[in-house]
Amino acid sequence: MSEAVKFRFDVDGSDFSSAGAASVMVKKKLRQLGYPPEIIRKVSIAMYEGEINMVIHANGGTAEVEVYDDVIIITLSDTGPGIPDVALAMQEGYSTARENIRTLGFGAGMGLPNMKKYTDSMEIDTRIGEGTTITMKVYL
Amino acid sequence: MKISEISKLLDAQILTGEDASDREITSACCSDMMSDVLAYVKDQGMLLTGLVNSQVIRTANMMDMHCIVFVRSKNPTEEMLELAQECGIVVMRSSLRAYVACGKLWMAGLTQDTEDCDV
Ligand SMILES: Nc1ncnc2c1ncn2[C@@H]1O[C@H](COP(=O)(O)OP(=O)(O)OP(=O)(O)O)[C@@H](O)[C@H]1O
Ligand SMILES: [Mg+2]
């Protein structure tokens, strides 16, 4: 495995209008690096869902993307409230988002299942009151 | 259908990306829920929506879409248009309601691939 290319972003939880900006940047970088469009699409959709989640559910955090020859690893860490029941949160349609989030176009309870769908592996490490770290891998 | 033809059909004003208006669009989707666009859309090249925020542009970028139509004369901000330009997305605005805009596109033959899409 050769030297990884790494990107790191602070995701601002106080400003919804910038939510998703890190994913747009990662998508651009991966295009510049010449990765296949299908791979880029998987990585960017999964990261975008996670990035939006950090903003609407966890008051922001950090996003890291490590790019290797054979795998892309996305790590999203926040110090938000944690997820009390991960199995429940993973169900399509389960959402704790309020009406104000729905008027912004989110909160259908589809993000986490979508992240799982678009990645080859996904791990959720969450502690109530401490935060959540989600690690996703997409193999090339 | 070319983006320029779509803008004519919907009586829509192209707000950014005019130079890409020769691009062919073969399928479209319509939603105000970006969650649903991310979860259910497959290869639709164009999004019609009444929602106006930066996440509309970013969602279209994630889904590799080429064109966004804001219906009901919704006005994107300068910032959104700049973002769309960076992402290479054509943005237009139509005074039509979503239902009518979709109906016109469908009648004009923009029906390909839509069975693959749940939005
Ligand atoms: N980073 C996080 N911190 C705390 N809770 C989270 C986090 N991510 C998700 N959740 C919880 O899991 C639920 C399901 O998340 P998911 O992304 O599937 O849906 P959503 O964000 O509510 O809606 P959508 O993703 O469709 O816009 C959320 O409503 C929230 O309760
Ligand atoms: Mg979500």
Side-chain angles (χ1 to χ4, degrees):
Chain A
M1 208 182 271
S2 65
E3 191 74 2
V5 182
K6 285 187 193 177
F7 308 110
R8 191 180 178 284
F9 303 90
D10 288 319
V11 176
D12 185 351
S14 64
D15 175 22
F16 180 77
S17 75
S18 67
S23 303
V24 171
M25 250 181 292
V26 166
K27 181 153 196 159
K28 200 172 156 190
K29 302 261 192 213
L30 293 177
R31 277 179 174 161
Q32 284 166 357
L33 290 170
Y35 282 89
E38 320 83 70
I39 297 287
I40 298 178
R41 181 138 153 195
K42 285 187 193 177
V43 169
S44 58
I45 292 174
M47 177 178 172
Y48 184 66
E49 292 274 21
E51 186 184 352
I52 301 275
N53 276 356
M54 285 202 290
V55 176
I56 64 181
H57 305 300
N59 210 22
T62 58
E64 249 178 37
V65 180
E66 294 161 86
V67 182
Y68 298 92
D69 287 344
D70 56 346
V71 64
I72 298 177
I73 305 172
I74 309 151
T75 310
L76 306 168
S77 297
D78 65 61
T79 50
I83 305 174
D85 185 339
V86 172
L88 184 62
M90 286 299 299
Q91 283 180 19
E92 288 188 6
Y94 176 82
S95 176
T96 58
R98 301 222 190 95
E99 189 52 34
N100 64 321
I101 298 298
R102 259 178 281 274
T103 61
L104 294 169
F106 294 90
M110 295 306 298
L112 287 173
N114 214 24
M115 288 154 73
K116 185 157 182 65
K117 180 175 123 190
Y118 279 109
T119 55
D120 296 310
S121 81
M122 171 165 145
E123 274 168 40
I124 302 179
D125 181 9
T126 186
R127 261 155 250 205
I128 302 305
E130 287 180 36
T132 301
T133 296
I134 300 184
T135 309
M136 295 177 284
K137 291 182 185 165
V138 173
Y139 293 99
L140 283 118
Chain B
M1 200 181 302
K2 280 193 171 50
I3 290 177
S4 55
E5 296 172 281
I6 291 170
S7 86
K8 259 191 220 120
L9 187 68
L10 303 181
D11 195 16
Q13 186 189 355
I14 296 182
L15 304 174
T16 185
E18 182 88 59
D19 44 326
S21 60
D22 262 358
R23 197 186 252 284
E24 283 286 335
I25 299 290
T26 56
S27 60
C29 62
C30 177
S31 181
D32 289 351
M33 270 309 260
M34 295 305 108
S35 300
D36 287 340
V37 174
L38 288 159
Y40 297 115
V41 171
K42 275 142 207 152
D43 271 311
Q44 277 59 34
M46 181 167 83
L47 170 66
L48 294 95
T49 188
L51 179 72
V52 185
N53 60 30
S54 297
Q55 284 69 31
V56 172
I57 317 285
R58 294 193 184 111
T59 300
N61 176 238
M62 293 306 126
M63 304 305 289
D64 298 318
M65 290 173 167
H66 307 299
C67 182
I68 298 169
V69 182
F70 288 107
V71 294
R72 259 187 194 279
S73 304
K74 296 280 162 70
N75 259 322
T77 62
E78 254 329 293
E79 200 188 335
M80 290 174 212
L81 294 178
E82 272 168 36
L83 182 60
Q85 196 177 19
E86 264 174 55
C87 297
I89 296 171
V90 181
V91 176
M92 61 178 97
R93 177 183 57 209
S94 169
S95 61
L96 299 177
R97 285 173 291 138
Y99 178 71
V100 177
C102 292
K104 285 195 177 214
L105 291 167
W106 184 274
M107 292 294 284
L110 199 71
T111 56
Q112 193 187 315
D113 291 344
T114 32
E115 65 273 13
D116 282 350
C117 172
D118 301 322
V119 170

